[in-house]
Amino acid sequence: MGKFEYTIEIKAPLEKVFNFIADGTNLPQWHPSIRKAERVGEGRVQLGSKLRVEAVFGRRRYVCIAECTEFTPNKSVRDRQIVGPFKKYEDWAEFQKTETGTKWTFGLEYELPGAMLGKVRDVLGRRRARQHQVEAMRRAKEILESG
C-alpha cells in the first residue's frame, strides 16, 4: 500500500483555491495524468457526488468513478474510488488561509490489486506517481496565481 502527502502555498484567496481544486472537473487543466473528468449526475461537488475520471499513467489508460466522502467548504474534501483499477484509492485535500494566500495539502492512500504483482507494480510506478503529483500541484499553483 502506498501513501504520500504534499503541501504547497498558493498566492490566491482560500475560496478561489478551494473551489478550483475541489471541483474535480478542473483536473484535466492541471493534472498531467488526467485526460477527462466529468460529474456523474447533476449539480456541484458535494458530499456523495460522483466524478468519472479518465487517466493515462505510463502506457496504461484507466477509468474510475470516485465518490466524495467528505466536503467541508473552504477546508477539506475527500474522495474514494468506487469503480476502477485500484484495490483501494482515497485522496484528500486540506486548505488553510495564510497571510499571503492559501496552504493546500494533498494526500493519497492507495493499494494496487494483485498480491505480489501489485507490490512490484507499486514499487516501479511510485516514483513517477509522486512526480506527477508534484507537477500537478505546481501547475495548479501557476493557474491560480496567474488569475
Side-chain angles (χ1 to χ4, degrees), residues 13-26:
L14 173 65
E15 297 80 13
K16 179 181 179 180
V17 175
F18 179 85
N19 289 333
F20 183 76
I21 301 301
D23 183 351
T25 62
N26 290 323

Side-chain angles (χ1 to χ4, degrees), residues 35-50:
R35 301 299 182 255
K36 188 175 184 181
E38 58 192 4
R39 187 104 16 247
V40 176
E42 297 294 320
R44 299 179 55 123
V45 63
Q46 61 185 332
L47 188 64
S49 64
K50 295 175 180 64

